[in-house]
């Protein structure tokens, strides 16, 4: 018995020693949250308080994601917003989610064809994810007439050329963001070697894209990119008409110039959507509104209202949270954010 006790004691000492060594060494290699050495801490605190108040309890997760998690912890962002397959979902009578976990793509069905909003990362994803998702939902990709790009980052336009070449769809975005797409590095990052789509249409602020009886109103809302497009269009929930608003870049600005533009665009977007009576939130990344989880509720037929229907007031508060978080970002960069 004494020998067994001695062995257990030695084993325990070894384990404790290894644990202590790991505790002493591992934290050095842990990823750190982002730091902002020139931040205006008083202004950061003020705008955080403002955003938290606007959010209340029902938008607390959106406040946490946009104000705190996304700008501070890229490891969490990468883990949550990863490339992954998610089931295609009929979200409204005429609006279908056909994208993947990291980035959204939407099919807006009309009497005269389909409008696709954003086209995923590349041609392979368009061919192997977007198109099969459409077919799984009973949508014929040959009916795609337009591909509207919310902005010029490659994760939104990467698959557009495939849809253009395969189905004859016309690709459209703003003049400024066409410039990003057509630049030598195509906006940079992992998309530098992508072949861009042909420039079929240039959309301007106030334009309307109409297909059949459905019209999509276009607004240029710079900030996330210089020419990000936001859209308002009708959707139907069991025959009841609602109005969806998709802001083309709720991701905010990465520097003070773009953050300032984002704040101005958000203020204008709030005015436009309030006047129009927008009551449905749609985003171009699922994580920006827990869209993947909301779609699961719809697929399972969970009792209750359609989770994408926010109502006018909650939609406005959501955008108010986005605005407060853009001000937080400016304050982190050393400004007041006002």
């Amino acid at each position: 018995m004494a020998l067994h006790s001695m062995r257990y004691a030695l084993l325990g000492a070894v384990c404790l020693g290894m644990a202590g060594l790991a505790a002493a060494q591992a934290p050095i290699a842990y990823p750190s949250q982002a730091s902002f050495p020139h931040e205006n801490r008083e202004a950061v605190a003020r705008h955080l308080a403002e955003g938290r108040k606007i959010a209340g309890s029902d938008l607390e997760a959106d406040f946490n994601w946009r104000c705190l998690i996304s700008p501070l912890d890229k490891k969490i962002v990468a883990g949550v917003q990863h490339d992954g397959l998610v089931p295609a979902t009929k979200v409204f009578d005429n609006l279908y989610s056909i994208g993947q976990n990291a980035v959204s793509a939407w099919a807006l069905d009309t009497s005269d064809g389909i409008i696709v909003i954003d086209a995923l990362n590349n041609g392979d994803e368009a061919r192997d994810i977007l198109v099969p998702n459409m077919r799984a939902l009973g949508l014929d990709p040959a009916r795609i007439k337009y591909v509207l790009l919310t902005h010029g980052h490659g994760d939104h336009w990467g698959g557009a050329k495939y849809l253009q070449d395969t189905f004859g769809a016309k690709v459209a975005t703003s003049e400024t963001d066409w410039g990003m797409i057509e630049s030598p590095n195509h906006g940079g990052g992992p998309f530098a070697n992508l072949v861009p789509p042909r420039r079929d249409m240039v959309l301007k602020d106030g334009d309307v894209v109409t297909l059949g009886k459905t019209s999509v109103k276009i607004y240029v809302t710079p900030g996330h990119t210089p020419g990000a497009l936001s859209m308002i269009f009708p959707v139907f929930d069991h025959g009841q008409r609602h109005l969806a608003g998709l802001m083309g870049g709720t991701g905010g600005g990465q520097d003070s110039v773009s953050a300032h533009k984002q704040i101005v665009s958000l203020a204008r977007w709030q005015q436009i959507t309030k006047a129009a009576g927008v009551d449905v939130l749609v985003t171009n990344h699922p994580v920006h509104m827990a869209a993947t989880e909301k779609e699961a509720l719809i697929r399972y037929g969970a009792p209750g209202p359609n989770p994408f229907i926010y109502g006018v007031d909650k939609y406005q508060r959501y955008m108010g949270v986005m605005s407060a978080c853009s001000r937080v970002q400016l304050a982190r960069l050393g400004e007041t954010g006002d």
Side-chain angles (χ1 to χ4, degrees):
M1 293 294 294
L3 181 59
H4 283 297
S5 298
M6 185 179 296
R7 285 175 177 171
Y8 285 127
L10 287 171
L11 180 61
V14 169
C15 290
L16 285 172
M18 291 178 67
L21 182 63
Q25 291 182 348
I28 298 172
Y30 289 176
S32 301
Q33 288 196 329
S35 62
F36 298 88
H38 305 296
E39 68 180 358
N40 182 332
R41 293 181 62 84
E42 184 276 329
V44 170
R46 178 159 44 86
H47 294 303
L48 283 173
E50 176 194 3
R52 189 181 183 193
K53 181 178 179 180
I54 295 170
S57 59
D58 56 337
L59 293 174
E60 181 180 11
D62 300 284
F63 164 78
N64 288 338
W65 181 265
R66 176 53 55 218
C67 273
L68 300 170
I69 299 171
S70 183
L72 295 179
D73 202 321
K74 299 304 181 186
K75 194 76 171 179
I76 293 179
V77 175
V80 175
Q81 193 168 299
H82 63 85
D83 289 329
L85 300 178
V86 293
T89 305
K90 182 178 182 179
V91 175
F92 288 94
D93 300 352
N94 61 328
L95 185 68
Y96 302 77
S97 173
I98 55 172
Q100 55 123 311
N101 180 71
V103 61
S104 303
W106 298 95
L108 182 62
D109 196 17
T110 83
S111 57
D112 285 359
I114 296 171
I115 298 171
V116 168
I117 302 173
D118 285 348
L120 305 183
N121 284 289
N122 50 56
D124 289 347
E125 286 194 2
R127 182 193 65 218
D128 298 336
I129 298 176
L130 189 153
V131 168
N133 278 348
M134 290 184 67
R135 290 183 172 137
L137 294 168
L139 300 174
D140 182 0
R143 295 180 63 241
I144 301 173
K145 303 300 182 185
Y146 298 111
V147 179
L148 307 183
L149 307 176
T150 57
H151 60 273
H153 289 155
D155 53 338
H156 299 273
W157 64 260
K161 188 177 190 309
Y162 175 84
L163 300 178
Q164 188 181 58
D165 292 345
T166 306
F167 305 111
K170 294 186 180 301
V171 180
T173 195
S174 68
E175 173 70 40
T176 309
D177 280 26
W178 268 123
M180 290 178 60
I181 294 169
E182 296 168 344
S183 66
N185 71 348
H186 308 307
F191 310 103
N193 294 322
L194 282 180
V195 178
R198 298 180 302 279
R199 182 190 290 225
D200 289 320
M201 298 168 60
V202 175
L203 297 176
K204 305 182 300 301
D205 193 77
D207 279 352
V208 178
V209 177
T210 299
L211 187 61
K213 298 178 181 179
T214 301
S215 293
V216 180
K217 296 183 179 179
I218 304 295
Y219 300 89
V220 179
T221 50
H224 187 64
T225 63
L229 295 180
S230 297
M231 307 172 189
I232 295 176
F233 49 89
V235 293
F236 296 86
D237 185 50
H238 302 289
Q240 184 174 355
R241 188 179 190 275
H242 295 270
L243 209 55
L246 192 169
M247 188 175 187
T250 52
Q254 302 304 310
D255 53 49
S256 61
V257 173
S258 59
H260 275 292
K261 290 180 178 178
Q262 182 78 346
I263 290 168
V264 172
S265 289
L266 278 162
R268 179 173 178 247
W269 185 241
Q270 284 186 274
Q271 293 175 346
I272 291 168
T273 52
K274 184 177 182 179
V278 167
D279 63 343
V280 168
L281 180 65
V282 181
T283 59
N284 54 14
H285 285 281
V287 73
H288 289 180
M289 60 172 295
T292 301
E293 293 76 11
K294 290 178 171 65
E295 290 164 18
L297 291 174
I298 292 172
R299 289 194 307 277
Y300 281 103
N306 186 312
F308 286 81
I309 300 174
Y310 275 43
V312 174
D313 176 69
K314 185 176 178 180
Y315 187 95
Q316 292 297 307
R317 288 194 298 113
Y318 176 91
M319 291 302 166
V321 171
M322 299 300 107
S323 179
C325 294
S326 291
R327 296 178 188 278
V328 169
Q329 186 65 11
L330 267 179
R332 288 190 176 115
L333 296 173
E335 301 191 31
T336 64
D338 298 321

